[in-house]
Amino acid sequence: MSNYPEKLADRSRWVEDLRPNRNVLSARNPYAYFVEEECSASGDIQAIATIFLTNRECPFRCVMCDLWRNTMLHSVPSGAIREQIDFALDRLPQSQVVKLYNSGSFFDPHAIPPEDYESISERLQGFERVIVECHPAFVGDHCAEFRDLLAGRLEIAMGLETAHPGVLQKLNKQMTLPKFAHAADFLRSNDIDLRVFILVQPPFLPSKQALEWAKRSLDLAFDCGAVAATLIPTRGGNGAMEELAAAGEFAPPGIALLEAAAKYGVELRRGRVFTDLWNFKRNSSCAECFNRRVERLRVLNLTQRLVKPVVCSQCGDQSE
């Protein structure tokens, strides 16, 4: 067992003490931007302008998070976020959808200054859909105010992480399942779409239970009205996760688990299901078939249809 604190008050310090260094960033530039393809609700493949905004670190210290590495210790000045968006969009091809991800919560006033909402929305008038991310604790009237400033539809991505209440509590996200459902209800009643992030094989969950709880998490996401759910293979790299791995309380998921969870979600036909394959590593998977199985998941992301399984002559395994 690890020395992970039992008391909530001690967990944030434990997480921070194990951190490596954060990256040095400019408040006037996004730390990343690119165009990605995604299957729309109508089944078309859309080009999405994705911008990772530089701003202040999230106030929560989730044990699995590594996004803080591309944040700052202080709030950015008014006007900086608009400058970052301008910088990225001036260099990207035209798209109909934009994602503004900021390693935290768009509606955290210390991350995105509320006085900048109007100028930000002016820059986004040409988009049919605007997707931002937000912790349920920051979901409220500011969301509806920003929605009213947009010409297109607003979609908010929230991290459910897991439907397992005990594991969720230990993640130090400082959120409960009822609080998540309450935030989702607010979005639904205010005509704002919901996207949900789900961790596949989070820490503190026995690996034998990982698929079952991924399925339950997908069920809960769609019960809460999600239009899309993204399965995120839980990864290390932030110090805390390596500590938990050494103590036997975390192991990254393999490709077979991702395939099974994605298959379940797509077959529900309750909304789109994506698998986040960014920096997904082979771990103990077969070197012969791993890349083909990852490519199959990419096709599933874009089509929302199951394609022919990969059968491996080397390991004898077959994809879901």
Side-chain angles (χ1 to χ4, degrees):
M1 297 290 289
S2 71
N3 58 352
Y4 187 63
E6 287 297 324
K7 294 182 179 179
L8 179 63
D10 299 327
R11 288 178 177 173
S12 294
R13 177 59 61 84
W14 185 88
V15 169
E16 289 183 333
D17 287 346
L18 291 166
R19 285 179 169 182
N21 294 328
R22 73 179 66 224
N23 296 322
V24 178
L25 305 171
S26 167
R28 301 294 177 179
N29 298 109
Y31 71 87
Y33 56 93
F34 49 82
V35 170
E36 61 181 331
E37 291 185 328
E38 183 175 288
C39 183
S40 71
S42 62
D44 299 323
I45 296 177
Q46 288 185 321
I48 299 181
T50 302
I51 307 172
F52 289 89
L53 301 170
T54 300
N55 63 172
R56 182 174 173 169
E57 180 183 354
C58 174
F60 306 103
R61 301 294 184 266
C62 300
V63 70
M64 71 289 180
C65 181
D66 60 0
L67 301 178
W68 54 269
R69 300 189 75 161
N70 288 304
T71 60
M72 310 186 82
L73 293 172
H74 54 80
S75 298
V76 298
S78 180
I81 296 299
R82 167 63 189 260
E83 286 185 39
Q84 292 183 38
I85 295 171
D86 287 341
F87 183 93
L89 293 182
D90 287 347
R91 291 161 173 78
L92 292 174
Q94 188 172 1
S95 304
Q96 295 177 311
V97 181
V98 62
K99 287 181 182 177
L100 301 178
Y101 283 177
N102 65 304
S103 301
S105 298
F106 188 89
F107 297 103
D108 174 0
H110 295 295
I112 310 292
E115 62 267 27
D116 286 0
Y117 289 171
E118 185 170 359
S119 66
I120 290 171
S121 67
E122 289 172 356
R123 189 60 168 92
L124 305 176
Q125 291 305 304
F127 291 96
E128 297 178 0
R129 179 174 293 266
V130 176
I131 305 170
V132 302
E133 56 187 352
C134 192
H135 188 289
F138 293 108
V139 169
D141 291 340
H142 280 318
C143 305
E145 293 167 8
F146 186 68
R147 174 207 62 197
D148 290 343
L149 294 171
L150 298 173
R153 190 163 184 84
L154 178 60
E155 179 177 318
I156 295 180
M158 295 199 304
L160 167 62
E161 319 305 357
T162 179
H164 191 300
V167 172
L168 180 60
Q169 188 272 336
K170 293 193 75 173
L171 293 180
N172 202 38
K173 191 179 178 72
Q174 299 182 47
M175 180 195 79
T176 63
L177 296 178
K179 287 180 179 179
F180 181 90
H182 177 75
D185 285 342
F186 177 89
L187 297 182
R188 184 165 51 245
S189 64
N190 283 275
D191 198 29
I192 299 171
D193 287 335
L194 168 66
R195 176 178 299 229
V196 174
F197 297 135
I198 294 169
L199 293 177
V200 179
Q201 199 162 306
F204 312 115
L205 182 68
S207 58
K208 291 182 179 180
Q209 299 178 24
L211 178 57
E212 177 61 26
W213 283 102
K215 292 178 177 180
R216 293 192 190 190
S217 301
L218 284 163
D219 291 339
L220 179 57
F222 291 123
D223 287 345
C224 288
V227 299
T230 300
L231 297 167
I232 301 176
T234 311
R235 58 181 180 262
N238 69 347
M241 296 298 282
E242 281 67 34
E243 187 81 3
L244 294 175
E249 294 187 279
F250 166 68
I255 187 72
L257 176 56
L258 283 185
E259 290 171 331
K263 179 176 183 290
Y264 175 82
V266 168
E267 288 184 336
L268 286 175
R269 295 298 172 194
R270 300 182 66 186
R272 289 163 293 152
V273 175
F274 305 112
T275 304
D276 183 0
L277 299 171
W278 178 82
N279 206 29
F280 180 58
K281 294 181 171 58
R282 184 166 61 86
N283 301 322
S284 60
S285 304
C286 172
E288 177 67 24
C289 63
F290 176 76
N291 288 338
R292 288 184 289 147
R293 293 169 75 168
V294 168
E295 182 57 29
R296 182 172 176 269
L297 286 174
R298 292 189 199 281
V299 173
L300 178 58
N301 282 346
L302 291 175
T303 65
Q304 295 297 293
R305 294 192 300 271
L306 293 170
V307 296
K308 185 178 179 181
V310 173
V311 180
C312 183
S313 59
Q314 185 71 27
C315 69
D317 200 4
Q318 177 173 314
S319 60
E320 284 282 346

